[in-house]
Amino acid sequence: MREVMTKSMARNIFYGGSLFFIIIFLGLSVHSHRYIVTTSTDAEGLTESVALGKKVWEDKTCINCHSIMGEGAYFAPELANVMTRWGATDDPEAAYEMLDGWMKSQPSGIEGRRQMPNFDLSEEETRALADFLLWVDAIDAQDWPPNDAG
């Protein structure tokens, strides 16, 4: 091998290395897409009601105060396990009733406590939000949140 690298040698190394890493990138992208679609997504559980609940979550900007799986603000409780805390994971009707009662009681008016606004949700929106929170609660979050209180 030569001690001095020529322009053509440098160009071949550049193009060869670039092609190698582009192929690796594309392969990892395809693998990630297949993993998300086939393994990490609960497609059967994603009903129209869950999707509407996610839309309500986004439209009312719940993430500005709450977090789900650590993502969001920490002003209000973590909601990844709220249905487990309420004991409503196996009963969608109980989940709706708990959430509906909580939402209608806000703001509580207790001096010195954080207050949640009353969003005046319809029954359909509240049921959908309850379904969304049930769906989130069913995700394998690998022991997140670290305590039961969220």
Side-chain angles (χ1 to χ4, degrees):
M1 184 153 149
R2 303 174 88 171
E3 289 187 30
V4 178
M5 186 180 297
T6 64
K7 284 184 180 180
S8 65
M9 290 171 67
R11 186 176 29 248
N12 289 340
I13 290 171
F14 171 76
Y15 288 132
S18 297
L19 181 63
F20 174 77
F21 285 109
I22 287 171
I23 290 170
I24 295 293
F25 174 76
L26 291 174
L28 289 173
S29 297
V30 168
H31 176 267
S32 295
H33 178 73
R34 287 190 64 227
Y35 177 80
I36 289 168
V37 170
T38 61
T39 306
S40 71
T41 300
D42 174 22
E44 293 83 33
L46 284 174
T47 63
E48 287 185 30
S49 182
V50 171
L52 176 60
K54 174 74 163 111
K55 183 171 178 4
V56 170
W57 170 269
E58 292 170 348
D59 289 348
K60 302 301 180 184
T61 60
C62 301
I63 202 163
N64 285 350
C65 297
H66 293 279
S67 61
I68 289 185
M69 292 186 220
E71 292 292 325
Y74 291 98
F75 181 75
E78 163 77 35
L79 296 181
N81 66 346
V82 69
M83 293 303 173
T84 298
R85 291 193 314 255
W86 287 350
T89 55
D90 297 328
D91 187 359
E93 188 61 30
Y96 161 72
E97 289 172 5
M98 290 287 291
L99 184 62
D100 188 51
W102 176 259
M103 297 291 281
K104 287 180 179 174
S105 71
Q106 299 303 316
S108 64
I110 300 172
E111 192 65 34
R113 294 210 48 194
R114 299 176 193 172
Q115 303 293 311
M116 181 171 157
N118 188 327
F119 290 108
D120 195 31
L121 299 177
S122 68
E123 180 182 344
E124 179 187 21
E125 290 174 323
T126 306
R127 282 190 186 279
L129 188 58
D131 289 343
F132 171 66
L133 292 174
L134 281 168
W135 182 82
V136 168
D137 200 301
I139 293 172
D140 179 10
Q142 301 176 357
D143 298 326
W144 182 267
N147 57 48
D148 291 337

